[in-house]
Amino acid sequence: MALKSAPIWVCSQKPQFHLGTPDFGSSHGRIILDLRPPKWECCGLGASVQKAVSPVEDEKPCTPGVKTSRTGKIDQAQNTLSRVFHKDLNLHPKILSKSNLSPFPHDGPNVRVAYQGSPGAYSEDAALKAYPNCETVPCDQYEAAFNAVELCLVDKAVLPIENSVGGSIHRNYDLLLQHRLHIVREVQLVVNYCLLGLPSVGNQEVKRVLSHPQALDQCEMRLSKLGVIRVSADDSADAARIVASSVERDMGAIASTRAAELYGLDILAENIQDEDDNITRFLVLSREPIIPGTDRLYKTSIVFSLEEGPGMLFKALAVFSLRDINLSKIESRPQKWRPLRVVDDHNKGSAKYFDYLFYIDFEASMADPRAQSALGHLQEYARFLRVLGSYPMDEAL
């Protein structure tokens, strides 16, 4: 018996959701999850589940040609067949219990995790926090990491989604919608920006500092005091690599402590960021969803668009408030396939407005009936609705 995929389980006492490719041109949204009456069922979310019970050999209760006696008793040939049929019960498939269903499938030492950047990047630190024994695979672009998972080159991808200082990373929000991967975990990483230099170089010798533009912006005050020239690089780890391969002693980099170890650089100063509480939130993506539970704190991420009309966003958000479900994140992005909407008012003429997609994180598991009820209610107002993932919250910093 093998569990081929880990679809989301839902218990439905509400209207039905079905997973499908969104029909953006229609006036009504496609449905995402399958909520059926009281029995627990499995919503595959695009993946198939192998049956847990396989047929037993010689499953026929009787065989043509087997004779019985006049008293109706089965003769010795039939008894032999019966003994063959009643095999050792230990060979039969075992019934799955909750303990068999890990929320993190395929998390062994052989898991391969893609990330954007060079070795030593903060994204690699996030991957190693989630999977300490994993094999990390660097990618040059965010989309390359998505593609690596879809093409089965790696098992998972770890990508940043927001920073407590810099805000949301919009490119990755757009990629979440364009690809059919599932969020299976989140990772919160405390960012420690370090000033790195060549061995035996002092702070005062550094005149140019390389790093990712966001890192340079978040260390603005310290860099201003040093009076250095800021030079942008593709990522912080790549900046450290460039400095390590250079012979120019006046060149430094802003990167992680791990990048300093990898490239043989000295740490001239630590925690040089302007804000002490600098935290980046990462998402772990997989081809298969996990089975959400209620044994720990869970978060669910969704994306939807709304029908036209006054107060529609208020009504959409109210479905969570009515069920005491806390919203931890809301992000809006213009719909690229329908950027403008024309609204006609006979008294005031016509006007053009942006049409938006709304990304929401709420603190509840899809195994929670409140979450199922909320999404069933939201469907009344949504033109399109998709569950991106239901996954355990990261509470450790």
Side-chain angles (χ1 to χ4, degrees), residues 103-375:
F104 303 122
H106 310 301
D107 288 359
N110 296 325
V111 64
R112 289 166 54 86
V113 182
Y115 67 94
Q116 187 276 329
S118 301
Y122 290 99
S123 293
E124 187 181 30
D125 289 347
L128 293 171
K129 179 184 177 183
Y131 309 105
N133 299 317
C134 72
E135 177 188 351
T136 55
V137 180
C139 300
D140 59 348
Q141 299 292 333
Y142 291 132
E143 190 161 13
F146 278 84
N147 292 334
V149 179
E150 290 179 328
L151 296 174
C152 300
L153 300 177
V154 297
D155 301 300
K156 294 176 174 64
V158 173
L159 295 163
I161 197 68
E162 61 178 329
N163 176 265
S164 59
V165 178
S168 298
I169 300 172
H170 297 133
R171 177 57 180 161
N172 284 339
Y173 273 104
D174 295 340
L175 290 172
L176 282 174
L177 188 63
Q178 294 172 19
H179 295 265
R180 304 298 298 183
L181 299 181
H182 306 275
I183 304 172
V184 296
R185 205 175 214 177
E186 72 170 359
V187 180
Q188 297 193 90
L189 185 72
V190 177
V191 178
N192 172 18
Y193 285 126
C194 302
L195 179 62
L196 311 181
L198 292 172
S200 72
V201 170
N203 287 10
Q204 302 304 320
E205 295 182 65
V206 176
K207 303 302 179 184
R208 291 177 295 161
V209 172
L210 285 72
S211 195
H212 187 274
Q214 181 171 280
L216 296 173
D217 290 341
Q218 294 180 8
C219 301
E220 174 68 26
M221 294 174 61
R222 185 62 175 269
L223 295 179
S224 296
K225 289 181 180 179
L226 292 174
V228 297
I229 299 173
R230 301 158 183 79
V231 181
S232 296
D234 290 339
D235 63 81
S236 58
D238 193 51
R241 182 189 61 79
I242 293 172
V243 172
S245 61
S246 172
V247 295
E248 301 180 36
R249 296 175 59 84
D250 67 342
M251 185 182 297
I254 296 176
S256 65
T257 56
R258 188 164 180 275
E261 296 173 3
L262 287 175
Y263 299 108
L265 298 176
D266 284 351
I267 299 177
L268 307 181
E270 289 194 62
N271 292 309
I272 64 172
Q273 61 269 13
D274 297 341
E275 302 292 335
D276 292 334
D277 295 328
N278 192 323
I279 300 170
T280 299
R281 177 171 168 250
F282 295 81
L283 298 178
V284 180
L285 305 175
S286 177
R287 290 181 296 276
E288 301 171 352
I290 62 168
I291 300 176
T294 56
D295 57 330
R296 65 185 75 188
L297 293 176
Y298 271 76
K299 185 180 291 185
T300 300
S301 299
I302 64 173
V303 56
F304 61 91
S305 62
L306 293 171
E307 298 283 0
E308 299 178 11
M312 294 302 291
L313 180 57
F314 169 79
K315 295 175 183 178
L317 300 181
V319 307
F320 300 100
S321 176
L322 291 172
R323 294 163 179 84
D324 294 323
I325 297 176
N326 184 47
L327 301 182
S328 59
K329 171 75 174 178
I330 180 169
E331 183 77 26
S332 62
R333 297 287 294 150
Q335 294 189 31
K336 294 183 178 180
W337 58 88
R338 191 184 177 191
L340 291 176
R341 171 166 50 94
V342 179
V343 177
D344 290 322
D345 188 323
H346 296 295
N347 297 324
K348 300 179 181 179
S350 61
K352 293 183 178 181
Y353 300 95
F354 282 110
D355 251 354
Y356 287 96
L357 287 167
F358 298 96
Y359 293 83
I360 283 181
D361 295 341
F362 61 86
E363 295 176 1
S365 166
M366 280 307 302
D368 188 337
R370 296 179 306 152
Q372 300 165 19
S373 175
L375 293 190

Side-chain angles (χ1 to χ4, degrees), residues 55-63 80-87:
V56 180
E57 289 181 14
D58 307 325
E59 199 169 352
K60 299 178 182 179
C62 61
T63 304
T80 302
L81 178 62
S82 178
R83 284 195 299 273
V84 173
F85 177 73
H86 293 289
K87 295 181 177 181

